[in-house]
Amino acid sequence: MRVNCTVNGEPRQADGVWEGESLLYVLRERLGLPGAKNACEQGECGSCTVYLDGVAVCACLVAAGQAEGRDVRTVEAIGKEDALDRVQRAFLDAGAVQCGFCTPGLVVAVHDLLTRQPEPSDPDIREALAGNLCRCTGYEAIIAAVRLAASR
Ligand code: FES
Ligand code: FES
């Protein structure tokens, strides 16, 4: 089947999509957007977090067909290499990136949190990021990064 949607502000089309394919697969393998990572494919790790119509979702749990006609925003649209978003800058400044595999999903999740809640408490931060797993950092640096981004 063919899927049409808006991705990062541009109309995009994917052909030959199988009914069981995920939005994550379409983004990574058909549209050349590898920012959202594929780790568990079961909605457990948050590494594939993207916005769908402005709501942060796990792209691995969204069937590609569900994205038809909708607005998708990926980490590629949050900041630019020479003009990082405050969340990305804070992750670097706080040393919240080690292997980096979890980072794109966390950046989207934190961006979403700070959009909804500009001054989150530590419990708010922990709750908002409960679905994003990181195997490297122990989370303290990530929470520090969120505080830093919020303060900016
Ligand atoms: S790859 Fe989607 S939640 Fe893990
Ligand atoms: S930095 Fe390696 S999984 Fe989070």
Side-chain angles (χ1 to χ4, degrees), residues 39-41 43-48 58 60:
C40 72
E41 285 193 288
E44 298 287 343
C45 74
S47 65
C48 63
C58 291
C60 70

Side-chain angles (χ1 to χ4, degrees), residues 44-63:
E44 298 287 343
C45 74
S47 65
C48 63
T49 305
V50 301
Y51 284 112
L52 182 63
D53 287 343
V55 176
V57 298
C58 291
C60 70
L61 293 184
V62 177

Side-chain angles (χ1 to χ4, degrees), residues 96-103 106 133-137 142:
V97 180
Q98 288 189 29
C99 81
F101 202 83
C102 66
T103 308
L106 276 162
L133 302 186
C134 173
R135 295 171 58 154
C136 306
T137 64
I142 290 171

Side-chain angles (χ1 to χ4, degrees), residues 111-131:
H111 185 273
D112 176 53
L113 169 65
L114 297 183
T115 301
R116 292 183 289 105
Q117 219 171 335
E119 295 178 14
S121 64
D122 281 7
D124 292 335
I125 296 170
R126 289 179 192 279
E127 184 178 342
L129 303 186

